[in-house]
Amino acid sequence: MRKSLSLAAVVTAAAALVAVPGVSSAAPPVKQVQWVACPADVALPGLECGKLQVPLDYREPQGRQTEVMITRLASKSPEKRKGILLTNPGGPSEGLTFPFILKALGMPQSVLDAYDIIGMDPRGLGYSSPTTCDLTEEQMAAGSVPPYAVKPSDVRKRADETKKIAEQCLKSSTADTLPYNTTRNIAHDLDSVRAALGEKKASFLGYSYGTYLGSVYATLFPKTSDRVVIDSSLPASGWDVEGGRLMARGVEDTFPDFAKWAAAHPEYGLGATPQQVRAKYFDLAARLDEKPSVEGINGQMFRMGTFAGLYSTTDESFAKLAASWKAFDTGQPQPPQEFPEVPRIQALLAGRLNVICGDSEWPSTVRAYERNVAVDRIRYPMFGAAAANIQPCAFWPKPVEKQVRLSDRGPRNILMVQNERDPATPLAGAHSTRRAFGDRAAMITVDQGGHGAYLIGRNKCANDKVTEYLLGGQRPAHDLKCAAETG
């Protein structure tokens, strides 16, 4: 089974048609999905695979085409079927297996009956005209989130590295598609899929980066988007320089959950109080900065691994993170880890860079990132000097289209669901998106930690509210809060 790569997987490798301005109003002829045999790593029970030709640049709909691949987990109850549910797992990353994953996570049978669940590899990723940046293994090891700048000079050193990555992307064999692999165009692709499947409207469920994709989709296509659910929201501006910096706040928001858990489990020896566990974090990071572990894991990797370890706040996940810390603390080998395939990381990171760098303009001077790191090192000491560090986007060409500005004009069809404590997409970012949509949206805030709420966080209140909306279309009249659940 091909798993959708999460940021945690990348960190593991490191540790070892409404008209819009500039878009032609002449709609191209509706194309049909070509149903094909699924690739071996996507051939999962119930999944069908299809290909669709779409414009590379929607401003020139009759021009050069590119290809996206989709999957369908079809409803088996024609009398209950409402339509299609487009999905995105975040990333940006591959999404073909996501319908199967949602079913495995416990998506209610009533929802599976109501919709054909649609997955898609966004353009430039997976089986949808993948891109490359010819990254080396060392470059891939850095992942999507910058390394922690231990010293101020590390920002300039990282700038040299990221400039080289950007140059590789711009000289690669797929560089000519780079300006068009954007969230705006991926949203257009979603609507092309809807049309190709013969549906007047489409509903949407997206997580993490998928919330920004869903938000752009709902903004560009208010007449053809039906019920839109966005879970674990990026800010209204997406994954831009400020959206990236928010990850540091997310770590500060979420870490107390782990610190409390670790203090209640003395067998790991990480501290008797949450304050002592927090102190242990800084102690281990400093020690590994000075002398890497037996596996060569340094303080940067330790911080990144802890960040990824906060994605899930289950006892099992916290136990794994605590065991890893204990091994660092006692000089023992790390527990066994599962490493993702290097080629998969290559394609994932290249495709992801295309999207986040092409969506918005990033500061282009190294000095700007030096200032950001200096500020966030103090403001968010656990992870600020990583999240604010420089990205290859600093050396990217100016986007060919203006960034989509989320709109409060349209139907009241957006339901947001958000954990109060999320390491990657903190509540502050969700509030930004909530404000941008105004009355179009309502938000469910869940008193729990981790990245992902619906079906992932196991909170019955949140799960029931989202399911009710997908089935009945009745969104909560006002924002509401779901209490923490215990036992």
Side-chain angles (χ1 to χ4, degrees):
M1 167 180 167
R2 185 179 74 158
K3 298 179 180 178
S4 295
L5 278 179
S6 64
L7 178 58
V10 177
V11 171
T12 300
L17 238 257
V18 294
V20 293
V23 177
S24 171
S25 59
V30 174
K31 297 180 179 179
Q32 301 298 311
V33 173
Q34 178 189 0
W35 296 103
V36 298
C38 289
D41 55 351
V42 184
L44 298 166
L47 283 187
E48 304 169 88
C49 292
K51 295 181 178 180
L52 180 66
Q53 296 293 313
V54 297
L56 178 65
D57 182 354
Y58 278 90
R59 297 171 301 176
E60 299 181 6
Q62 307 299 338
R64 180 179 170 184
Q65 304 290 291
T66 189
E67 185 175 82
V68 295
M69 178 171 271
I70 67 169
T71 53
R72 177 172 65 186
L73 184 63
S75 165
K76 292 182 172 59
S77 300
E79 71 283 359
K80 298 179 181 178
R81 185 184 180 277
K82 298 179 182 296
I84 60 171
L85 179 65
L86 304 168
T87 65
N88 184 276
S93 59
E94 303 157 345
L96 292 182
T97 62
F98 198 48
F100 181 87
I101 292 171
L102 288 169
K103 182 178 180 179
L105 285 170
M107 176 168 273
Q109 187 61 46
S110 55
V111 178
L112 298 172
D113 289 341
Y115 295 97
D116 293 347
I117 314 298
I118 308 298
M120 184 177 79
D121 278 356
R123 56 169 62 201
L125 281 156
Y127 288 101
S128 292
S129 305
T131 53
T132 183
C133 287
D134 300 316
L135 301 173
T136 66
E137 290 193 27
E138 184 178 5
Q139 288 170 333
M140 286 185 279
S144 301
V145 179
Y148 188 94
V150 179
K151 305 181 296 294
S153 60
D154 288 342
V155 179
R156 194 158 292 276
K157 177 183 176 183
R158 179 62 182 163
D160 293 337
E161 297 167 353
T162 57
K163 184 177 182 180
K164 184 175 181 181
I165 290 173
E167 290 171 348
Q168 289 171 207
C169 294
L170 296 169
K171 294 177 181 177
S172 74
S173 59
T174 56
D176 58 334
T177 66
L178 180 151
Y180 311 106
N181 293 341
T182 61
T183 299
R184 176 192 285 271
N185 282 327
I186 297 170
H188 274 276
D189 293 343
L190 289 176
D191 204 59
S192 293
V193 169
R194 173 203 59 77
L197 292 174
E199 302 287 338
K200 292 182 178 180
K201 289 190 174 186
S203 293
F204 178 88
L205 170 63
Y207 297 76
S208 195
Y209 160 78
T211 64
Y212 183 58
L213 173 58
S215 296
V216 171
Y217 178 60
T219 295
L220 295 180
F221 301 100
K223 293 182 179 179
T224 55
S225 59
D226 193 6
R227 300 160 196 181
V228 176
V229 177
I230 54 178
D231 186 324
S232 309
S233 289
L234 283 167
S237 56
W239 189 348
D240 59 1
V241 64
E242 295 303 322
R245 290 176 74 181
L246 272 179
M247 294 179 188
R249 177 167 179 171
V251 171
E252 298 285 352
D253 288 348
T254 311
F255 184 79
D257 287 352
F258 172 69
K260 182 179 178 180
W261 186 94
H265 290 77
E267 65 269 25
Y268 294 101
L270 303 179
T273 66
Q275 292 76 19
Q276 290 177 356
V277 175
R278 181 180 173 90
K280 178 65 71 175
Y281 171 88
F282 292 106
D283 172 55
L284 290 175
R287 284 158 55 185
L288 291 166
D289 284 337
E290 183 70 24
K291 182 180 179 181
S293 72
V294 292
E295 298 90 356
I297 299 172
N298 59 25
Q300 293 176 340
M301 296 175 181
F302 165 75
R303 296 177 182 93
M304 197 73 73
T306 298
F307 167 62
L310 297 174
Y311 267 48
S312 173
T313 57
T314 63
D315 286 348
E316 180 183 7
S317 296
F318 278 171
K320 288 181 180 179
L321 182 57
S324 176
W325 277 34
K326 182 178 180 181
F328 287 129
D329 196 30
T330 58
Q332 300 299 310
Q334 284 289 298
Q337 304 270 358
E338 181 180 342
F339 292 87
E341 302 170 41
V342 169
R344 183 85 20 91
I345 301 173
Q346 168 78 250
L348 171 72
L349 294 180
R352 186 171 292 179
L353 280 175
N354 276 218
V355 175
I356 67 172
C357 298
D359 273 353
S360 63
E361 279 195 76
W362 290 58
S364 58
T365 66
V366 178
R367 183 171 297 178
Y369 296 92
E370 290 176 323
R371 287 195 299 267
N372 289 349
V373 166
V375 169
D376 287 1
R377 186 192 302 278
I378 297 172
R379 185 166 55 167
Y380 306 122
M382 298 190 75
F383 205 62
N389 205 351
I390 194 166
Q391 291 265 35
C393 302
F395 306 101
W396 219 255
K398 184 177 179 179
V400 297
E401 294 185 80
K402 289 184 178 180
Q403 187 175 14
V404 177
R405 183 173 181 176
L406 303 191
S407 173
D408 60 0
R409 298 179 63 183
R412 298 184 178 186
N413 66 335
I414 300 167
L415 178 61
M416 303 175 62
V417 58
Q418 176 75 32
N419 291 337
E420 285 190 354
R421 302 175 298 283
D422 185 315
T425 55
L427 184 59
H431 282 154
S432 166
T433 294
R434 175 68 185 85
R435 288 192 297 270
F437 276 129
D439 290 341
R440 288 196 69 187
M443 186 164 77
I444 300 169
T445 306
V446 190
D447 184 6
Q448 64 184 14
H451 191 48
Y454 183 55
L455 306 178
I456 298 172
R458 308 297 181 182
N459 182 280
K460 187 176 185 302
C461 166
N463 286 343
D464 287 351
K465 293 295 183 184
V466 174
T467 296
E468 289 170 9
Y469 178 57
L470 289 173
L471 294 177
Q474 295 302 312
R475 201 195 65 187
H478 305 285
D479 293 352
L480 58 86
K481 180 173 179 178
C482 286
E485 294 186 0
T486 58

